[in-house]
Amino acid sequence: MCTPPSILIIYTGGTIGMKQNPQTGALSPFNFEQIEQEVPELQKFGYNLTTRSFDPLVDSSDIAPDIWVRLAAELRDSYHQHDGFVILHGTDTMSYTASALSFMLQGLAKPVVLTGSQLPIGMLRTDGKENLISAVEVAAAQRHGQPMVPEVSIFFQNRLYRGNRTTKHNAEHFNAFRSYNYPPLAEAGITIKYNHPYIHRPQRQQELCVHTRLDPSIAVLTLYPGLSPQHVHAVLTSPGLRALVLLTYGSGNSMSHSWFIDMLAEAIGQGLIVLNVSQCQAGSVNMDKYDTGLTLKKIGVVSGADITLEAAITKLMLLLGSDSEKDSIISALTKSLSGEITPPQTLQD
Ligand code: ASP
């Protein structure tokens, strides 16, 4: 008889693990170790479920790199005891955590599925039960004796996405997440249909290698009509700044005023890494398309291709933490580390 899959569920905090106090109506976290009492359907899988809870619980707006390090270390320490992992997380920064973990867990060969909910699991119309049950099913799913989705993913409202391609796009609807530049890895209807060609599966057995050094010395500068030289100067001269995500227009365009280009060129000359990420959520940066993009390319701005802001920020933190030289960081930025970008040569015009 084969042994049932063993799944570790880690509850970090967020709406999903809350219950309404019938007297006061207020929401507060329930004891997550008793999740199988709240969601008895979980027992029907017949899996070995282990649950752990963060203490204290963290609203995901308070997530910071040290919590990613803690989560990654917990996954590393439990890696060989379990077949799959489900992380319950607030939705607000779930895409950042999924992106960070996808870069930190190199050589991952088991599923790490993040999920959460818009309504607490203890409420009648909750989306949490559905999300949790499906996330557990995905974490346990196998194909030819191997994990079905050995990636960091997000399951939300019937869809499984590659985590580092997602963005929280809706604060009210149950379908809170989107992956604009990469198709869903699976869709849940009557059955869960996996989108096999888009799921990354390691070619050979790899060892998990957990990177826990992150350097958050970065800033994000959003372009908008009327952006002042004072503001740009303040950002570019902030102490310790090593990399800047420049949130540009359309296919990676910026204003062409010489004060702006000169300030940026000077900062790049002094060692700053500038990554061009589009304010558009769908589509890709292409700095060869317009003069305004070409100017950025000429001064050394690096194309972020079709990366999300969440993946750009966390990828930079990981690369800066790696002690690599500026040139190798730039080269890594233009390549896919964990499926977070479509490398420019494979993009269609
Ligand atoms: N503020 C909450 C959080 O992100 C919202 C949620 O759980 O979805 O932790």
Side-chain angles (χ1 to χ4, degrees):
M1 217 175 81
C2 52
T3 41
S6 165
I7 307 299
L8 174 63
I9 305 176
I10 304 173
Y11 175 49
T12 62
T15 304
I16 190 166
M18 300 200 170
K19 211 170 158 175
Q20 203 163 26
N21 181 319
Q23 271 87 48
T24 63
L27 292 173
S28 53
F30 63 86
N31 179 357
F32 214 81
E33 318 278 300
Q34 291 160 9
I35 183 66
E36 287 177 66
Q37 283 170 28
E38 290 299 326
V39 190
E41 295 89 333
L42 283 173
Q43 290 163 9
K44 295 195 182 154
F45 280 131
Y47 303 156
N48 286 328
L49 299 181
T50 307
T51 49
R52 281 186 211 151
S53 217
F54 268 30
D55 183 17
L57 295 168
V58 189
D59 184 291
S60 85
S61 310
D62 283 325
I63 289 281
D66 62 311
I67 295 178
W68 297 332
V69 170
R70 195 172 136 193
L71 256 178
E74 194 153 345
L75 292 168
R76 178 192 56 211
D77 297 345
S78 316
Y79 193 65
H80 295 294
Q81 286 95 280
H82 301 281
D83 301 301
F85 304 86
V86 172
I87 299 175
L88 301 173
H89 194 287
T91 53
D92 289 347
T93 59
M94 193 187 292
S95 294
Y96 289 90
T97 298
S99 300
L101 289 177
S102 77
F103 300 127
M104 296 166 83
L105 305 174
Q106 288 298 317
L108 181 71
K110 294 185 179 182
V112 175
V113 190
L114 284 90
T115 194
S117 67
Q118 295 283 62
L119 278 179
I121 227 162
M123 283 181 83
L124 216 50
R125 290 183 53 252
T126 185
D127 52 332
K129 280 192 184 187
E130 175 72 42
N131 287 346
L132 172 59
I133 291 167
S134 301
V136 169
E137 185 169 341
V138 169
Q142 299 226 332
R143 185 186 190 225
H144 310 311
Q146 297 298 322
M148 181 77 83
V149 190
E151 296 204 25
V152 179
S153 59
I154 288 185
F155 186 90
F156 223 87
Q157 239 247 327
N158 299 334
R159 288 194 164 181
L160 182 74
Y161 301 108
R162 175 170 292 164
N164 59 30
R165 291 291 195 147
T166 61
T167 291
K168 182 174 178 183
H169 85 119
N170 199 308
E172 290 177 10
H173 291 174
F174 284 150
N175 65 345
F177 290 89
R178 281 273 170 88
S179 165
Y180 288 95
N181 288 326
Y182 200 75
L185 302 180
E187 293 194 51
I190 295 172
T191 57
I192 299 182
K193 286 212 171 79
Y194 291 91
N195 204 355
H196 295 293
Y198 292 97
I199 298 173
H200 173 76
R201 297 198 176 89
Q203 298 300 312
R204 50 190 170 79
Q205 275 302 339
Q206 309 175 53
E207 276 302 303
L208 177 71
C209 179
V210 181
H211 298 269
T212 51
R213 289 179 59 195
L214 301 172
D215 181 350
S217 310
I218 62 174
V220 179
L221 179 64
T222 304
L223 298 187
Y224 54 89
L227 177 64
S228 70
Q230 293 80 354
H231 184 95
V232 176
H233 181 259
V235 173
L236 292 179
T237 55
S238 33
L241 186 69
R242 295 182 63 200
L244 177 78
V245 175
L246 189 64
L247 272 182
T248 55
Y249 304 126
S251 53
N253 305 312
S254 77
M255 61 265 212
S256 49
H257 305 308
S258 55
W259 66 261
F260 176 72
I261 300 296
D262 291 349
M263 270 189 202
L264 216 52
E266 190 186 335
I268 292 170
Q270 286 169 1
L272 187 73
I273 295 167
V274 181
L275 183 65
N276 187 340
V277 176
S278 175
Q279 292 175 23
C280 294
Q281 290 182 309
S284 180
V285 165
N286 176 356
M287 290 192 284
D288 294 316
K289 211 163 171 180
Y290 295 95
D291 274 352
T292 46
L294 202 55
T295 312
L296 294 179
K297 186 174 172 179
K298 283 189 186 143
I299 61 169
V301 172
V302 184
S303 170
D306 58 352
I307 201 165
T308 61
L309 176 62
E310 294 86 338
I313 288 174
T314 51
K315 185 175 181 180
L316 274 169
M317 285 185 186
L318 182 104
L319 293 173
L320 294 179
S322 69
D323 277 346
S324 307
E325 297 294 320
K326 183 179 173 189
D327 285 349
S328 30
I329 294 180
I330 288 177
S331 149
L333 283 171
T334 61
K335 296 189 185 100
S336 161
L337 290 187
S338 307
E340 73 284 2
I341 58 167
T342 313
Q345 60 274 21
T346 58
L347 282 171
Q348 307 288 318
D349 271 335

